[in-house]
Amino acid sequence: MSKRTEVINALLQIVEDAVPSVPWSVNITGSNVSKDIQGTVSCDRVLFDQQARDLILATATFTVYVVDMGASAQIEDIGDTLFSALNNSDLDGTCLRCDVNSIIYGAPRGNNKAMAMLIEVEAEYYV
């Protein structure tokens, strides 16, 4: 198993434990959407820094999506919960550090309740 796969599996486990009411999945890119609430974790890119001949530091950018087409869940509360679970973490020892870079909420025009959320997470680990 690749280190990236190991890190994304640890990230998935943490979001599943933090918000068990949301069904979670992993995509290569983008989110899954259903008529009910759905969560998706994807790895958008990995940058490599050759620090020594046999030492490579990888910085992976993950996106955690939560989409609730029925607007039945409190997306903002889920965002706060996931921020607390993921920010300043080592993802159960699979990476050196994991930080939340941003959370973006989305709502349809005329609706004041968020129906979607995108969290950008950055994790560093040695390959």
Side-chain angles (χ1 to χ4, degrees):
M1 174 184 331
S2 74
K3 186 65 174 182
R4 186 199 61 81
T5 302
E6 191 178 327
V7 172
I8 201 165
N9 287 341
L11 181 67
L12 180 64
Q13 186 61 53
I14 288 171
V15 297
E16 286 175 338
D17 292 346
V19 188
S21 61
V22 174
W24 292 94
S25 63
V26 174
N27 271 2
I28 295 197
T29 186
S31 66
N32 289 335
V33 178
S34 70
K35 62 182 179 179
D36 298 317
I37 190 167
Q38 178 72 44
T40 310
V41 177
S42 68
C43 180
D44 297 328
R45 68 182 172 271
V46 182
L47 303 174
F48 299 98
D49 179 20
Q50 184 100 30
Q51 297 186 330
R53 189 171 145 224
D54 59 348
L55 187 64
I56 301 171
L57 179 67
T59 303
T61 302
F62 297 95
T63 304
V64 178
Y65 301 90
V66 178
V67 178
D68 181 17
M69 296 305 288
S72 59
Q74 296 297 321
I75 296 292
E76 294 90 348
D77 293 343
I78 293 172
D80 292 343
T81 300
L82 292 175
F83 178 84
S84 297
L86 296 173
N87 195 51
N88 200 21
S89 169
D90 68 354
L91 299 180
D92 293 331
T94 58
C95 65
L96 301 171
R97 68 164 189 83
C98 176
D99 294 311
V100 173
N101 288 340
S102 64
I103 301 177
I104 300 171
Y105 296 98
R109 181 178 285 186
N111 189 344
N112 62 355
K113 185 174 181 187
M115 292 175 60
M117 173 188 61
L118 179 148
I119 300 177
E120 186 182 85
V121 179
E122 194 172 88
E124 285 185 344
Y125 55 91
Y126 286 110
V127 196

